[in-house]
Amino acid sequence: MVPPRVEVFDGPGDVGARVADLVAATVEARPDAVLGLPTGGTPGPVYAELVRRSAAGEIDLRRVRVFLLDEYVGLGRSHPRSYRATIARELTDAVGVPDDAVRGPVTDGDLDTACRAYDDAVRAAGGVDLQLLGIGRNGHIAFNEPGTPFELTTHTAVLSEPTRRDNARFFTDPAEVPTLAVTQGPALILEARRLVLVATGAAKADAVAAALEGPVSPECPASVIRRHPDAVVVLDRAAAGRLRPAPTPR
Ligand code: F6R
């Protein structure tokens, strides 16, 4: 196993710029690259920086293809809190990625069929070139909660109560947070050619330390990235705060 490369920066803005550089390098090498993207709070500065660079003519994302990591069951894609609507609002509409080049798991109809179709769609596109990942405070990646077998590809996941509570900040009524999602599983995530796990803020420090320094185990889903030959972890000082020895910020 090659250990992930860990890069530490002062704050979320520097992290956003560094991850935007990694996206830019991928897209320069391959203008129609397949990007695997998360939603949530962490990627906000990354997407803002990509939108800024795109408006300034510094990057051209119009030919990329996007696969979302996960999607809530029960909201429908036009719901403003759906991950499909979120990525359009925060990134893809603003940088000119056509609507039909952005795919997320289908979450209505027969979910098993939808899961297999999503695996097939990712693989038919040639696989993901660059997969960005956030991390939950309990170590989840995508909606793979602790205990999820590493062998799973796209599957239906029951959200843990801590995850639902963390995500309630995006909803006006906390009861609205769905209880189910369709998510890429660890095995499909590992098929990406490069993984970039991003974390900012002290609330993520324990999960980051468990992922990088604890056992590689389904109990900490993010630890699976240590089975990938090209994984980069981009942190701010606060999220790196429990790593030993403390890495030197760039
Ligand atoms: C969202 C996703 C989740 C988030 C994680 C961290 O698509 O895959 O695993 O990355 O819950 O969320 P934030 O960034 O809001 O702390």
Side-chain angles (χ1 to χ4, degrees):
M1 283 197 284
V2 186
R5 190 174 82 220
V6 179
E7 301 182 353
V8 181
F9 296 86
D10 269 343
D14 313 292
V15 166
R18 173 60 180 152
V19 178
D21 287 346
L22 296 172
V23 173
T26 300
V27 175
E28 267 157 34
R30 184 175 185 198
D32 64 345
V34 177
L35 302 180
L37 299 180
T39 56
T42 311
V46 178
Y47 298 156
E49 177 63 10
L50 289 171
V51 170
R52 188 197 68 71
R53 291 187 194 187
S54 169
E58 296 166 16
I59 187 172
D60 185 352
L61 292 165
R62 288 173 298 176
R63 290 177 57 201
V64 303
R65 293 160 292 155
V66 169
F67 283 92
L68 296 181
L69 262 184
D70 41 18
E71 183 59 273
Y72 288 122
V73 173
L75 293 187
R77 62 174 277 176
S78 58
H79 189 290
R81 302 271 72 93
S82 76
Y83 286 175
R84 185 62 185 71
T86 301
I87 202 74
R89 194 171 57 240
E90 294 188 357
L91 180 69
T92 53
D93 282 358
V95 301
V97 181
D99 202 52
D100 61 3
V102 183
R103 307 271 301 261
V106 169
T107 56
D108 48 20
D110 179 65
L111 293 181
D112 281 342
T113 307
C115 291
R116 298 294 63 78
Y118 202 59
D119 288 344
D120 291 347
V122 171
R123 291 168 179 159
V128 170
D129 291 301
L130 184 72
Q131 177 66 60
L132 302 189
L133 298 165
I135 181 171
R137 287 194 298 155
N138 63 2
H140 72 241
I141 49 170
F143 274 127
N144 297 290
E145 298 281 19
T148 306
F150 283 167
E151 296 71 30
L152 291 187
T153 57
T154 305
H155 63 281
T156 306
V158 178
L159 274 55
S160 70
E161 276 313 306
T163 298
R164 290 189 71 234
R165 275 198 299 277
D166 280 348
N167 289 4
R169 69 192 195 280
F170 297 113
F171 289 80
T172 31
D173 174 3
E176 253 196 300
V177 184
T179 51
L180 278 184
V182 174
T183 181
Q184 291 196 28
L188 188 63
I189 291 170
L190 285 190
E191 288 179 24
R193 280 178 275 285
R194 171 172 254 198
L195 303 181
V196 178
L197 185 138
V198 189
T200 53
K204 301 294 177 67
D206 285 332
V208 166
L212 295 179
E213 296 177 351
V216 174
S217 150
E219 291 317 309
C220 179
S223 66
V224 80
I225 70 162
R226 285 153 61 194
R227 293 201 175 157
H228 194 283
D230 184 4
V232 184
V233 178
V234 186
L235 306 171
D236 70 356
R237 263 181 208 270
R242 300 232 186 238
L243 294 177
R244 292 293 170 263
T248 316
R250 293 174 170 232

